[in-house]
Amino acid sequence: MAHQAGGRRPVPRPVPETCATQAYLQDYAALLESLPLPSLVVDHRWNVVMANGAFGTLFRGMRPHPSAMPGENFLRFVLFHPDAAEILGEHEAGWCLPMLAQLGAALEAYGHDPELQAVRRDVTQDPLMEAAFRQGLPHWIRAVGEAATRLDGAVRLLRHPDPRRGPTECRIVDETPQTLRELGYRRLTMVLRDARRSGAPARRARRPRATSAHLSVVPAPED
């Protein structure tokens, strides 16, 4: 049913038992695959239920990772894959902090979910990520407003592997139909914008090194 991008296929996830629902998801996967824009369907844990070929092309150069491949769990990919910043431009403010906000919201709604709790434990084990979650995220939200934590309509920087595109912006569009929503799924599409229109910078931002005193979004201690 699903096109899995960027690595080994994960353990199959439970599929709704009714034949009508299975048929709908199979047809929806065909619809997704027909689109030229990167698009994926995730559950409340950010496990990737299905993704199209354009999504796979975007992340085709990612090295294998045991738990953070983009076609398996997009939240883990953004937070933990060492190569994520190679594709996701302005990784810290543009992708990492908004996804930490998504993690916080998911934990509020599904606090006892073991997979979400496992992500939270992994965040705890990374001192920089834990500082971002506990200190940087509230500081960032106060600075930019709650609207910045929403994904629908957000404009983010991408470095597409296709040299004809290169650094460009994408607008994330949440276009989840009612049937997917009832199944607990969410569909997100990355609408790639013309580089000449977006004016996306060509710089190559890197994820902060573990030796940094603090993240750039975390206020420095006062003397």
Side-chain angles (χ1 to χ4, degrees):
M1 178 185 71
H3 176 95
Q4 296 293 340
R8 61 180 177 83
R9 183 178 294 275
V11 176
R13 303 183 181 95
V15 176
E17 294 181 357
T18 67
C19 293
T21 301
Q22 290 182 358
Y24 176 87
L25 291 176
Q26 290 171 355
D27 291 341
Y28 199 87
L31 169 66
L32 208 67
E33 187 59 35
S34 71
L35 299 177
L37 298 171
S39 192
L40 71 161
V41 174
V42 297
D43 64 14
H44 70 275
R45 307 176 184 96
W46 287 88
N47 288 323
V48 178
V49 177
M50 63 180 81
N52 63 7
F55 181 86
T57 297
L58 181 61
F59 297 104
R60 65 190 175 195
M62 296 295 96
R63 291 177 294 172
H65 189 282
S67 64
M69 294 306 291
E72 296 179 13
N73 186 290
F74 195 68
L75 173 64
R76 281 187 169 277
F77 169 71
V78 174
L79 298 183
F80 303 124
H81 198 294
D83 296 339
E86 295 298 314
I87 298 296
L88 307 178
E90 298 177 348
H91 178 251
E92 182 183 304
W95 295 91
C96 189
L97 285 170
M99 291 303 286
L100 284 173
Q102 293 289 317
L103 172 61
L107 286 168
E108 286 187 13
Y110 309 97
H112 298 294
D113 187 288
E115 289 190 41
L116 291 172
Q117 289 295 334
V119 176
R120 182 67 185 95
R121 286 194 298 272
D122 287 348
V123 168
T124 302
Q125 293 172 9
D126 183 329
L128 285 176
M129 196 71 69
E130 179 69 3
F133 189 77
R134 288 188 174 275
Q135 303 173 52
L137 185 59
H139 171 72
W140 177 71
I141 292 174
R142 287 194 299 269
V144 302
E146 288 280 351
T149 67
R150 304 184 195 121
L151 292 181
D152 184 41
V155 176
R156 302 285 185 244
L157 180 64
L158 286 176
R159 299 187 185 89
H160 201 284
D162 186 340
R164 293 171 297 181
R165 286 193 176 275
T168 188
E169 288 178 340
C170 75
R171 185 179 297 278
I172 300 174
V173 177
D174 186 334
E175 44 185 352
T176 308
Q178 184 65 29
T179 301
L180 287 186
R181 188 174 294 110
E182 290 172 354
L183 294 171
Y185 296 158
R186 184 180 186 184
R187 176 186 165 190
L188 299 170
T189 298
M190 302 176 185
V191 181
L192 304 179
R193 308 174 81 190
D194 188 296
R196 292 169 296 182
R197 177 165 62 96
S198 68
R203 63 183 181 278
R204 296 178 63 83
R206 295 184 179 274
R207 184 177 176 177
R209 298 175 60 184
T211 55
S212 300
H214 61 277
L215 292 175
S216 61
V217 296
V218 180
E222 295 183 0
D223 297 329

